[in-house]
Amino acid sequence: MNRQKDEAYMSMAFALAEKARGRTSPNPMVGAVIVKNDRIVGWGYHEQAGKPHAEIIALKHAADKVRGATLYVTLEPCVHYGRTPPCIDRLLQSGLSRIVIASRDPNPLVDGQGIKRLRQAGLSVTTGILEHLNQKLNEAHIKYITKKMPFVTLKAAASLDGKIASATGDSRWISSPASREYAHFLREENDAVMVGSGTVIKDDPLLTVRHGRRPGKKIARVIIDSRLRIPLSARLLRAPLGGPVIIFTGANAPEFKVRALARDAVEVVTDGRNERFGLERVLRELGRREISSVLVEGGSALLSSFLDQKLADKAVIFLAPRLIGGRSSPGLFGGRGADKIADGLQLKKPAYFNLEGDIIIEGYF
């Protein structure tokens, strides 16, 4: 066994898995490569939920060259029936002599059972090759499948002095055209985009994906609106092709408005006891709908609530090279805030890059 070769072939499998980014939810992204006598004879990746898994596609490509070959796969083969039959049975019948797996599947229905069955059948199994790549690639799926809650990314644009709008409320546009294009790329990667009612009232957004790679992708558009204040004329309510609209509201929501929104095929989820629908409960409701990732686009009050309640997993902050100033200009985050600098939330594993002068900072909580 040559670890350098194993890593090279596994890198190819991860490159294949990456091709399906934003399309496989609630399933993970998975890639597979089959190698025989130092030649690639089969390859595949899971394109979307309900379609064949990566291993099955790779076996089909390899055809009669499978016997005695090595399969490189980025995630442990499944052993359970879902939208497709389990992969493990096909693999055991294929004639493969060795299987190299990057990472165990955290799904409780699998979680080591696939590896166990392969070894029990006498196959040579190597695990842990470039495992860290799967932790990054499928970070949203890992949280969803283990906690039944979506992975939450906070996204915001601000000036260098931390302002998200001027004192008059003007916020278009703080970031550059390239940054705004990247923001649509982020939407495409997620299952849902979330804003508060204030953003809908002020900006009247569509909350659709308008990225050149996949301009027609539908995502769930989630509104947090405790008093059901959004106007019935809001543009997102008139754009059904953009994706479903889900509004979370409180017990005091006007009943006539709930009925009117229902006629527009909007799902209104009401907390019958409380004035507000708690954010953790919102996330659990979204998880129940198989939404595995949410991009929270603000405004400041909603972003701050996620931080105060420690419900965010990641942040993507766009810093534009401009100064807005103004004591009454809204800042990036509000909420309770930290009493001491040392108590402030610090992004872990920060990464930085530049788009048309904007500094994009990504990191984890």
Side-chain angles (χ1 to χ4, degrees), residues 225-249:
D225 188 355
S226 60
R227 289 175 289 165
L228 210 55
R229 297 188 304 140
I230 70 166
L232 296 176
S233 60
R235 290 199 304 158
L236 65 90
L237 302 178
R238 303 286 173 257
L241 296 180
V245 177
I246 308 172
I247 302 176
F248 289 91
T249 191

Short mmCIF file of all heavy atoms in Angstrom, two decimals, residues 225-249:
data_model
loop_
_atom_site.label_atom_id
_atom_site.label_comp_id
_atom_site.label_asym_id
_atom_site.label_seq_id
_atom_site.Cartn_x
_atom_site.Cartn_y
_atom_site.Cartn_z
N ASP A 225 -40.97 36.53 11.70
CA ASP A 225 -41.88 37.67 11.75
C ASP A 225 -42.88 37.46 12.89
O ASP A 225 -43.98 36.93 12.69
CB ASP A 225 -42.61 37.80 10.41
CG ASP A 225 -43.44 39.07 10.30
OD1 ASP A 225 -43.53 39.81 11.29
OD2 ASP A 225 -43.99 39.32 9.21
N SER A 226 -42.49 37.86 14.10
CA SER A 226 -43.28 37.53 15.29
C SER A 226 -44.68 38.12 15.27
O SER A 226 -45.61 37.56 15.84
CB SER A 226 -42.54 37.98 16.56
OG SER A 226 -42.34 39.38 16.53
N ARG A 227 -44.86 39.26 14.60
CA ARG A 227 -46.18 39.90 14.56
C ARG A 227 -46.81 39.86 13.16
O ARG A 227 -47.83 40.50 12.93
CB ARG A 227 -46.07 41.34 15.05
CG ARG A 227 -45.83 41.44 16.56
CD ARG A 227 -45.61 42.88 16.98
NE ARG A 227 -44.33 43.40 16.52
CZ ARG A 227 -44.01 44.69 16.50
NH1 ARG A 227 -44.89 45.60 16.88
NH2 ARG A 227 -42.83 45.07 16.08
N LEU A 228 -46.19 39.12 12.27
CA LEU A 228 -46.68 38.99 10.89
C LEU A 228 -46.88 40.36 10.25
O LEU A 228 -47.95 40.71 9.77
CB LEU A 228 -47.96 38.17 10.86
CG LEU A 228 -48.21 37.35 9.57
CD1 LEU A 228 -47.03 36.44 9.27
CD2 LEU A 228 -49.46 36.50 9.73
N ARG A 229 -45.78 41.12 10.24
CA ARG A 229 -45.83 42.49 9.75
C ARG A 229 -45.61 42.61 8.25
O ARG A 229 -45.88 43.66 7.67
CB ARG A 229 -44.78 43.34 10.46
CG ARG A 229 -44.99 43.48 11.96
CD ARG A 229 -44.01 44.51 12.54
NE ARG A 229 -42.62 44.17 12.24
CZ ARG A 229 -41.69 45.06 11.89
NH1 ARG A 229 -41.99 46.34 11.75
NH2 ARG A 229 -40.45 44.66 11.67
N ILE A 230 -45.06 41.57 7.60
CA ILE A 230 -44.68 41.74 6.20
C ILE A 230 -45.93 42.02 5.35
O ILE A 230 -46.99 41.46 5.58
CB ILE A 230 -43.91 40.52 5.64
CG1 ILE A 230 -44.82 39.31 5.50
CG2 ILE A 230 -42.72 40.18 6.48
CD1 ILE A 230 -44.20 38.23 4.65
N PRO A 231 -45.79 42.89 4.36
CA PRO A 231 -46.95 43.23 3.52
C PRO A 231 -47.31 42.09 2.58
O PRO A 231 -46.44 41.35 2.12
CB PRO A 231 -46.47 44.47 2.75
CG PRO A 231 -44.99 44.35 2.72
CD PRO A 231 -44.59 43.68 4.01
N LEU A 232 -48.59 41.96 2.30
CA LEU A 232 -49.04 40.93 1.37
C LEU A 232 -48.58 41.21 -0.05
O LEU A 232 -48.66 40.33 -0.91
CB LEU A 232 -50.57 40.82 1.43
CG LEU A 232 -51.14 40.37 2.78
CD1 LEU A 232 -52.67 40.40 2.74
CD2 LEU A 232 -50.64 38.99 3.14
N SER A 233 -48.07 42.41 -0.29
CA SER A 233 -47.56 42.77 -1.61
C SER A 233 -46.07 42.49 -1.77
O SER A 233 -45.49 42.80 -2.82
CB SER A 233 -47.82 44.25 -1.87
OG SER A 233 -47.15 45.04 -0.88
N ALA A 234 -45.42 41.91 -0.74
CA ALA A 234 -43.98 41.64 -0.79
C ALA A 234 -43.62 40.83 -2.03
O ALA A 234 -44.30 39.87 -2.38
CB ALA A 234 -43.53 40.91 0.47
N ARG A 235 -42.53 41.21 -2.67
CA ARG A 235 -42.13 40.56 -3.93
C ARG A 235 -41.88 39.07 -3.78
O ARG A 235 -42.18 38.30 -4.68
CB ARG A 235 -40.87 41.23 -4.50
CG ARG A 235 -41.09 42.64 -5.02
CD ARG A 235 -39.96 43.04 -5.95
NE ARG A 235 -38.66 42.92 -5.31
CZ ARG A 235 -37.49 42.79 -5.98
NH1 ARG A 235 -37.50 42.75 -7.31
NH2 ARG A 235 -36.35 42.72 -5.32
N LEU A 236 -41.31 38.66 -2.65
CA LEU A 236 -41.00 37.24 -2.50
C LEU A 236 -42.26 36.38 -2.49
O LEU A 236 -42.22 35.20 -2.83
CB LEU A 236 -40.14 36.99 -1.26
CG LEU A 236 -40.71 37.26 0.13
CD1 LEU A 236 -41.40 36.03 0.69
CD2 LEU A 236 -39.64 37.73 1.07
N LEU A 237 -43.40 36.98 -2.09
CA LEU A 237 -44.67 36.24 -2.11
C LEU A 237 -45.21 36.09 -3.52
O LEU A 237 -46.08 35.26 -3.76
CB LEU A 237 -45.71 36.96 -1.24
CG LEU A 237 -45.34 37.18 0.23
CD1 LEU A 237 -46.45 37.94 0.94
CD2 LEU A 237 -45.06 35.86 0.92
N ARG A 238 -44.68 36.90 -4.44
CA ARG A 238 -45.15 36.86 -5.83
C ARG A 238 -44.15 36.16 -6.74
O ARG A 238 -44.23 36.27 -7.95
CB ARG A 238 -45.37 38.30 -6.34
CG ARG A 238 -46.35 39.09 -5.50
CD ARG A 238 -47.78 38.64 -5.73
NE ARG A 238 -48.70 39.29 -4.78
CZ ARG A 238 -49.20 38.68 -3.74
NH1 ARG A 238 -48.89 37.42 -3.49
NH2 ARG A 238 -50.03 39.31 -2.93
N ALA A 239 -43.19 35.46 -6.15
CA ALA A 239 -42.16 34.76 -6.94
C ALA A 239 -42.11 33.30 -6.51
O ALA A 239 -41.12 32.85 -5.93
CB ALA A 239 -40.81 35.43 -6.77
N PRO A 240 -43.17 32.52 -6.77
CA PRO A 240 -43.23 31.13 -6.29
C PRO A 240 -42.14 30.24 -6.88
O PRO A 240 -41.78 29.23 -6.27
CB PRO A 240 -44.63 30.67 -6.71
CG PRO A 240 -45.00 31.56 -7.86
CD PRO A 240 -44.38 32.89 -7.54
N LEU A 241 -41.63 30.60 -8.06
CA LEU A 241 -40.61 29.76 -8.68
C LEU A 241 -39.27 29.86 -7.95
O LEU A 241 -38.37 29.06 -8.18
CB LEU A 241 -40.43 30.15 -10.15
CG LEU A 241 -41.65 29.91 -11.06
CD1 LEU A 241 -41.34 30.32 -12.49
CD2 LEU A 241 -42.07 28.45 -11.01
N GLY A 242 -39.13 30.85 -7.08
CA GLY A 242 -37.88 30.99 -6.34
C GLY A 242 -37.71 29.96 -5.25
O GLY A 242 -36.60 29.70 -4.80
N GLY A 243 -38.80 29.35 -4.82
CA GLY A 243 -38.76 28.36 -3.77
C GLY A 243 -39.84 28.61 -2.75
O GLY A 243 -40.47 29.68 -2.73
N PRO A 244 -40.11 27.65 -1.87
CA PRO A 244 -41.18 27.80 -0.88
C PRO A 244 -40.87 28.91 0.12
O PRO A 244 -39.71 29.19 0.42
CB PRO A 244 -41.21 26.43 -0.20
CG PRO A 244 -39.85 25.87 -0.40
CD PRO A 244 -39.39 26.36 -1.74
N VAL A 245 -41.93 29.53 0.62
CA VAL A 245 -41.80 30.57 1.65
C VAL A 245 -42.36 30.02 2.96
O VAL A 245 -43.48 29.52 3.00
CB VAL A 245 -42.55 31.86 1.25
CG1 VAL A 245 -42.47 32.90 2.36
CG2 VAL A 245 -41.99 32.42 -0.06
N ILE A 246 -41.56 30.11 4.02
CA ILE A 246 -41.98 29.66 5.35
C ILE A 246 -41.85 30.83 6.31
O ILE A 246 -40.76 31.41 6.43
CB ILE A 246 -41.12 28.47 5.85
CG1 ILE A 246 -41.06 27.36 4.81
CG2 ILE A 246 -41.67 27.94 7.17
CD1 ILE A 246 -40.07 26.25 5.16
N ILE A 247 -42.93 31.20 6.96
CA ILE A 247 -42.92 32.32 7.90
C ILE A 247 -43.18 31.78 9.30
O ILE A 247 -44.16 31.07 9.54
CB ILE A 247 -43.99 33.36 7.54
CG1 ILE A 247 -43.76 33.90 6.12
CG2 ILE A 247 -43.98 34.52 8.54
CD1 ILE A 247 -44.82 34.87 5.64
N PHE A 248 -42.30 32.13 10.23
CA PHE A 248 -42.46 31.75 11.64
C PHE A 248 -42.96 32.97 12.40
O PHE A 248 -42.32 34.03 12.38
CB PHE A 248 -41.15 31.25 12.22
CG PHE A 248 -40.73 29.90 11.69
CD1 PHE A 248 -39.93 29.80 10.56
CD2 PHE A 248 -41.17 28.74 12.31
CE1 PHE A 248 -39.56 28.57 10.05
CE2 PHE A 248 -40.79 27.50 11.81
CZ PHE A 248 -39.99 27.41 10.68
N THR A 249 -44.09 32.83 13.05
CA THR A 249 -44.71 33.97 13.72
C THR A 249 -45.20 33.58 15.11
O THR A 249 -45.17 32.40 15.49
CB THR A 249 -45.87 34.52 12.87
OG1 THR A 249 -46.29 35.77 13.39
CG2 THR A 249 -47.04 33.55 12.80
#
